[in-house]
């Protein structure tokens, strides 16, 4: 079963959905946020257009990083379209981990959760905290 999930992750990494480029960035997004993983340097930006009911109407991710960070962004993008922003900001790490469907090591957890962090931050209009139990970087831990 893990092999099917691994193939799905690679497919999303090779041909990510709602990704710029090849799709253009959203002109005048309603919500936008950019952040990075201090452990490895993965960077991710999200742009979101919301409809009149404050639901995610359209979004784009852009940035660079490993297969896990890029695939989780691609997978999450399809899932949150149509979702109310109020629900988006309440998502937790189980949302991403269930999409990925494989065990994620502690060292790769921030890679997997970067898309969740930028989505929630965009919805909140400010930086969201990393999910509980996400290993801190050296700077965050004071080391």
């Amino acid at each position: 079963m893990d092999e099917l999930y691994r193939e799905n992750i690679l497919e999303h990494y090779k041909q990510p959905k709602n990704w710029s480029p090849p799709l253009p960035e959203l002109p005048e997004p309603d919500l936008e946020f950019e952040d990075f993983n201090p452990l490895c340097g993965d960077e991710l930006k999200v742009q979101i257009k919301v409809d009149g009911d404050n639901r995610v109407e359209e979004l784009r991710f852009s940035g660079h990083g490993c297969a896990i960070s890029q695939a989780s962004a691609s997978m999450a993008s399809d899932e949150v379209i149509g979702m109310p922003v109020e629900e988006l900001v309440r998502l937790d790490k189980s949302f991403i981990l269930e999409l990925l469907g494989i065990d994620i090591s502690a060292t790769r957890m921030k890679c997997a959760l970067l898309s969740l962090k930028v989505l929630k931050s965009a919805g909140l209009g400010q930086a969201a905290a990393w999910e509980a139990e996400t290993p801190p970087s050296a700077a965050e831990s004071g080391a």
Side-chain angles (χ1 to χ4, degrees), residues 10 15 24 28 31 44 48 51 53 62-64 66 71 74 78 80 83 87 98-100 109 130 142:
L10 284 175
Q15 297 181 325
E28 301 180 33
L31 307 170
L44 200 55
I48 301 173
D51 65 16
D53 294 324
S62 59
H64 64 86
C66 68
S74 175
D78 277 345
V80 301
M83 184 179 286
E87 187 178 327
E98 287 173 13
L99 287 175
L100 291 171
M109 193 60 73
W130 285 101

Side-chain angles (χ1 to χ4, degrees), residues 6-27:
R6 290 184 206 298
E7 287 177 26
N8 192 31
I9 289 167
L10 284 175
E11 186 62 31
H12 276 275
Y13 175 64
K14 290 176 183 175
Q15 297 181 325
K17 298 182 179 179
N18 302 301
W19 204 263
S20 173
L23 297 173
E25 287 196 349
L26 295 179

Side-chain angles (χ1 to χ4, degrees), residues 64-81:
H64 64 86
C66 68
I68 294 292
S69 71
Q70 305 291 282
S72 69
S74 175
M75 293 170 163
S77 70
D78 277 345
E79 295 294 318
V80 301
I81 292 175

Side-chain angles (χ1 to χ4, degrees), residues 40-59:
C40 68
D42 291 356
E43 295 181 12
L44 200 55
K45 174 178 160 183
V46 67
Q47 298 178 304
I48 301 173
K49 287 288 244 184
V50 296
D51 65 16
D53 294 324
N54 208 32
R55 291 178 175 272
V56 176
E57 182 173 32
E58 190 175 10
L59 69 85

